[in-house]
Amino acid sequence: MAILSTMMKRSSILLLLPAVLVSAQTFQRLGTCPTLGCVIPPDQTDFLAGQHFDIRLEVHAPVNGSEAFNEGVPDDAFTFCIEKVGSKKGCVDAAKFFGVKEPALEKWTFDYFEDLFAQDAGSASVVNVASKAFRGLSLREPGEYLAKLSYYGGMQTVAHWAVPKPVTKRTAKNVIFFIGDGMTQNMITAARLIGHKSINGRYQTLMQMDQMEVLGHQMTHSIDSFITDSANSASALMSGKKCSSGSLNVWGDSTPTPFDDPKMETIAELFKRKRGGPIGMVSTAQIADATPASLCAHTRDRGTYAANVFEYLHSPQDLNSTLAWPTGCGGVDVIFGGGAEQFVAGKGSWEGKDFYQEFAKAGYNVVQNKTQLEGLSGSKKALGIFTVSHLSKWLDRHVYTNNLSGQKNSPTGDGSDATDQPGLKDMTLKAIEILHAQAKKNNTGFFLMSEAASIDKMMHVLDYDRALGELLELDDTIRATIQYLKEIGEEDDTLIVVTADHGHGFDVFGGADTKYLAEQDTDRAKRRAVGIYEQSGLSGYQVVSGSLPNNNTVVFGDQGPNFPVTWNPRYAFAAGFGGTPDHREGYVVNSGGIRQPTAEEEDGFVANPNDQPNGFHASGTLPPSSGQGVHSLTDVSVFANGPGSDAFRGVYNNVDIFFKIANALGLAGGD
Ligand SMILES: *[C@@H]1O[C@H](CO)[C@@H](O)[C@H](O)[C@H]1NC(C)=O
Ligand SMILES: *[C@@H]1O[C@H](CO)[C@@H](O)[C@H](O)[C@H]1NC(C)=O
Ligand SMILES: *[C@@H]1O[C@H](CO)[C@@H](O)[C@H](O)[C@H]1NC(C)=O
Ligand SMILES: *[C@@H]1O[C@H](CO)[C@@H](O)[C@H](O)[C@H]1NC(C)=O
Ligand SMILES: *[C@@H]1O[C@H](CO)[C@@H](O)[C@H](O)[C@H]1NC(C)=O
Ligand SMILES: *[C@@H]1O[C@H](CO)[C@@H](O)[C@H](O)[C@H]1NC(C)=O
Ligand SMILES: [Zn+2]
C-alpha cells in the first residue's frame, strides 16, 4: 500500500517543509504523527470487520525549535473525511460517514526534545495542538479506505486503512495462546541443549515446541521504532495494530493523560462480545504487567497497574464515562498470576480498594496458594494471586528452594513468605479446566492467554539459567496442555499458538570450564576457559557421570524428563548478549537467587563486583543509564497446532497474528 502522503498547495508552506521531514529520527514530536497533521489510527492500519476503534485527529503548531510553524497557532478549522476506495460517494465528512455527532474541539500544549543536544541543554520545543476525537466506531464493509485530514488551508494527511474480507466461519472453538515473553529461537535451542540428552550429536528427546505442526515467524517492529517493548508488541498480537512502546491497546496521542488516547478492541473483548464465551489470563508476572494487561487494558502508559486491573473486572467506559467505548473485558473469567500490590487495599490498588473483595463480590472464587488453586472447581469465575510482584522463578521453586524464604512476598500482603506457589503448568491446566466448564454451558468455546513472563525478566538481568528454566517450564506446560486437551476431548477443536512478543540478543557460542576460569587471576587468563568450536565440548547438564565440582550439584529426582539433571556442571554453556551493561561473567549458575549484574553509581550503572566474583569484567555496550540487557530486533518464532494452524506458516508481521486467530474463531463481521 502507498505510504502516508502530505500534499501542499501553497508555496509558503512548501518552503517550510524540509525541516519537518528531516527532523525527529529517534526523538519524535509524536511517534504516530510524522507530519503537522495527524490521523490516528495512522496510515497502514488494518481492522477486523466490525472491530471497535477510536479516532484522534491532531493539528500541531510548534512554537519554537526547528519545526516552528504558523507562529504557534494550530489550525482549528481542519476537516476530516473518509473515502471508501471505489465508492461513488467520494470523500464523506467523517461524522456523516459514521453517523455520529461532530466531536468538540480540544486544545492543549505539549513539549518534546528534538535530539540529544536539546536534551542536554534542557531546551524543549513547545507545540500547540488543536484536536477532535471520535469514540467507539467500526468499519463493517471490507475494502480499502482513505482517511483524509485537511489543514492549514492546503496541507493534507492521508491514512490508508484496510478491512480484510471477513472470515465468519469458525474453524476453532477454543484458542490457547502461549506467549514466551522475550523468547527467541536461540533460547529454545539453548534450553534444548540443557534439557534434552543427545548422543553423538543427535537428540534422544525433543522440546514440545520442536514438535508442533506448524512453524512460522513474525516481525516485531513498533509503529515508530524498530525495537519494541512488551506493551505495544502484546497489543499488536491482541489487537492487530502497531503502536508505540509503552502503549496498551491505544495509539499514543499527545495529551498528558494516558486514558484518553484512541483505543482499539482486543481479541479478548471481541471474543466476549461476539461469542459470549469465557476468557482467561495466566501469567508468571504481576498480573497487571504489560502482556496479561494486553488482553483488556487501554492505556498509553503500561505502568497504570491499578487501572489495568480495574479493566479486567469492568470496562474502559466505567473508568471514564465521558469516553464512549462499547466493549471491555467486563470480568475476565479466570485470572491467575502474581502482583498482590493491585489487590491488597492500599496505594497500589484502584481507589485504594480491596480488589480481592471486589472480585469476590462480583462472584469470583478467590485463592492465594497452590493448595487452594488445586481445590478450585469449574463452577465459578476464579481469581488466583499467588505473590507480591512476579512469581518466584522455576529454578528457585524447584532447585534452590531455600531462596523462597525471606522474600516477604505473600499475596496476603502480611509480609510473610509465599512458599506454596503454583507454576505456569499448574495455573494453565486449572485455567483450562475452569474455562472448559464455563464454556460448556453455552457451547461457546474459550480463549486463554498463558504467559511465561520471566523468560524476559531473567534475560534482562543476564540470568540465563533462570530464563532457560522458565522456558523449559513453558515447554512442559505446552506438552501437558496438549495431553490434557486430549483427555477432555477438546484437542481437535482447539487452536494452540505459541510465540513471543520480541526477543533479546542472547546466544550460546561455546562451553566454559568454570573450574579453570575461577582459578585464573586475570581477566584475559579467565577468558581462556571459554572453549570454542571443537573445544565447546558436550552438554554437561545431562551427563552426570564423573566428578562434579564442589560436590554441590543438585540432582533431580522428581522433575521427570525434559529438564537438566544438573544446573552447575563444571563445563557450562558460554553465552552472551546483544546489548549489555558493564557486568562480570563467570558462566556459573546464580544459586543464591536472581542475578544482579549491575550496581548503580552517580554516572550510571557499573558491573556489580559481588556478581560472579570469580568471573571476568565484560564491558557494556548500552547507555550507562541502562542497568539491564535490552530487547533486540530479531524476528521470533510462531508455533501452532490444531484447527486454523495452517495460517501460521511463513513470515509475517506481528499484527497479522491477531487476524489469523480472529479468523480461526470466525469473529469478523456483524456489529
Ligand atoms: C521554547 O520555548 C520554551 C518556553 O518559552 C523554552 O523553555 C524553550 O527552551 C524553547 N525551546 C527552544 C528549542 O527554543
Ligand atoms: C475523562 O476524559 C475526559 C476527556 O478526555 C477528561 O477531560 C476527563 O478529565 C477524564 N476524566 C477522568 C476522571 O479521568
Ligand atoms: C493456603 O491458603 C489457605 C487460606 O488462606 C490457608 O488456610 C492454607 O494454610 C494455605 N496453605 C499453604 C500450604 O500455605
Ligand atoms: C450463557 O448464556 C446466557 C444467556 O445469554 C447468559 O446469561 C449466561 O451468562 C451464559 N453463561 C456463561 C457461562 O457464559
Ligand atoms: C557429596 O555430597 C553427598 C550428599 O551431601 C554426600 O553424601 C557425599 O559424601 C559427598 N561426597 C563428597 C566426595 O564429599
Ligand atoms: C538460595 O538457595 C541456595 C541453595 O538452596 C542457598 O545456598 C542460598 O543461600 C540461598 N540464597 C538465599 C538468599 O536464600
Ligand atoms: Zn516482552
Side-chain angles (χ1 to χ4, degrees), residues 220-292:
T220 68
H221 302 60
S222 303
I223 198 165
D224 51 0
S225 62
F226 51 75
I227 304 294
T228 184
D229 96 313
S230 297
N232 64 324
S233 55
S235 304
L237 299 173
M238 297 303 170
S239 296
K241 309 288 173 278
K242 295 278 184 180
C243 37
S244 309
S245 278
S247 303
L248 284 168
N249 303 310
V250 300
W251 292 276
D253 65 18
S254 69
T255 64
T257 160
F259 297 125
D260 69 346
D261 298 46
K263 301 178 182 61
M264 53 193 80
E265 190 175 22
T266 73
I267 189 89
E269 290 177 296
L270 274 159
F271 189 75
K272 272 245 144 159
R273 180 163 70 85
K274 297 207 165 174
R275 191 69 71 222
I279 55 178
M281 65 168 75
V282 168
S283 176
T284 50
Q286 172 182 14
I287 204 71
D289 205 10
T291 309

Side-chain angles (χ1 to χ4, degrees), residues 16 21 109 430 590:
L16 287 158
L21 290 181
T109 300
K430 182 53 83 174
N590 299 275

Side-chain angles (χ1 to χ4, degrees), residues 63-66 112 114 118 122-126:
V63 175
N64 57 10
S66 71
Y112 75 105
E114 287 188 19
S123 175
S125 300
V126 176

Side-chain angles (χ1 to χ4, degrees), residues 180-182 229-231 233 291 302 451 453 456 460 501-502 504 631:
D181 202 301
D229 96 313
S230 297
S233 55
T291 309
R302 56 180 281 179
E451 185 207 17
D456 171 76
H460 273 298
D501 48 352
H502 58 80
H504 289 253
H631 300 175

Side-chain angles (χ1 to χ4, degrees), residues 56 106 133 135 253 255 257 259-261 319-323 350:
R56 164 75 80 190
E106 298 170 59
R135 305 284 173 183
D253 65 18
T255 64
T257 160
F259 297 125
D260 69 346
D261 298 46
L319 203 60
N320 188 334
S321 58
T322 67
L323 307 179
W350 182 254

Side-chain angles (χ1 to χ4, degrees), residues 366-373 412 417-421:
V366 177
V367 297
Q368 295 179 319
N369 59 37
K370 182 180 172 185
T371 310
Q372 288 180 303
L373 174 78
T412 59
D417 297 334
T419 49
D420 185 30
Q421 297 176 41

Side-chain angles (χ1 to χ4, degrees), residues 556-606:
F556 280 107
D558 59 346
Q559 292 316 318
N562 311 319
F563 286 92
V565 174
T566 172
W567 284 87
N568 62 344
R570 171 172 168 182
Y571 294 96
F573 65 79
F577 217 73
T580 55
D582 289 344
H583 63 288
R584 301 185 63 78
E585 202 54 85
Y587 303 119
V588 289
V589 65
N590 299 275
S591 58
I594 295 170
R595 187 173 183 187
Q596 292 179 296
T598 55
E600 195 166 10
E601 292 191 350
E602 219 164 274
D603 65 344
F605 288 91
V606 297

